[in-house]
Amino acid sequence: MIRVEKIHAAGSWRSEASDRITLDREDRHRRRAVLTGENGLTFLLDEPTAVFLHHGDGLELEDGRIVEVLAESEDLVEIEADDTAHLVKIAWHLGNRHLPTQLLGATLRIRRDHVIEDMVTKLGGRLTPVSAPFDPEGGAYGHGRTHGHDHGHDHGHGHSHGHHHDHGHIHD
């Protein structure tokens, strides 16, 4: 099976794509997978560690062909606020919940979640449902990915006082 030899960042490759593959956010975080493009080209992605593929990346195959990565549109909500300080406050609350968030300058994007949307509304944010590719920020050290998770368990305290606490689960 033909393998991916190199991953080119979006905008850094110039040749015509031989095929395209459309993946949602989770499917774009891979280490090893057999993938099939829209035109039927099947190939193997086999990286030493998991990589996050971004919309527009080019997967260069062993024979030099390029497969373009496209981010699948997802049900998201775009968040606006009165000013930058207000948006930063909302972003802090989203980050405090380990919620994958896409930063778009004057707006934020998150996956649809009625509980989180209610929280943002109560914080004074304005919400607009959108269907768009989701490309959230990576991990805290500029690589990897963040993981959203349910805070349905009771910590017996609020999250606004800034201390560290263990959630009892592991992030890869």
Side-chain angles (χ1 to χ4, degrees):
M1 174 172 292
I2 194 161
R3 300 166 76 95
V4 173
E5 186 171 281
K6 185 174 181 181
I7 301 171
H8 297 278
S12 71
W13 54 279
R14 302 284 180 243
S15 59
E16 184 72 27
S18 297
D19 208 340
R20 287 170 181 73
I21 188 155
T22 302
L23 304 168
D24 70 13
R25 177 180 171 268
E26 274 72 32
D27 286 339
R28 286 183 284 128
H29 185 254
R30 295 287 186 171
R31 188 194 77 73
R32 181 179 169 87
V34 174
L35 302 168
T36 301
E38 294 170 3
N39 297 328
L41 178 60
T42 300
F43 55 95
L44 176 66
L45 175 71
D46 188 15
E47 295 295 309
T49 59
V51 295
F52 188 81
L53 303 172
H54 296 276
H55 181 80
D57 284 354
L59 306 178
E60 183 177 338
L61 305 180
E62 294 169 312
D63 63 5
R65 289 182 290 174
I66 298 282
V67 176
E68 183 178 12
V69 176
L70 302 175
E72 184 175 356
S73 288
E74 301 184 46
D75 291 329
L76 309 173
V77 64
E78 204 157 88
I79 301 167
E80 294 178 290
D82 294 335
D83 54 37
T84 302
H86 188 199
L87 193 65
V88 167
K89 179 181 177 179
I90 292 169
W92 184 89
H93 283 279
L94 297 173
N96 191 45
R97 285 155 183 79
H98 309 279
L99 199 70
T101 303
Q102 186 173 357
L103 309 178
L104 298 167
T107 61
L108 306 170
R109 274 190 191 155
I110 60 171
R111 281 197 167 131
R112 297 295 314 258
D113 178 320
H114 71 280
V115 172
I116 299 299
E117 290 175 38
D118 183 56
M119 175 197 75
V120 170
T121 300
K122 287 177 180 172
L123 289 169
R126 294 181 302 280
L127 307 175
T128 304
V130 297
S131 180
F134 188 44
D135 201 9
E137 285 297 302
Y141 299 99
H143 60 314
R145 67 178 182 166
T146 58
H147 296 272
H149 57 269
D150 185 337
H151 275 189
H153 51 281
D154 183 16
H155 293 289
H157 58 268
H159 276 112
S160 61
H161 45 76
H163 77 279
H164 173 77
H165 54 270
D166 185 0
H167 291 291
H169 55 263
I170 298 170
H171 295 278
D172 62 357

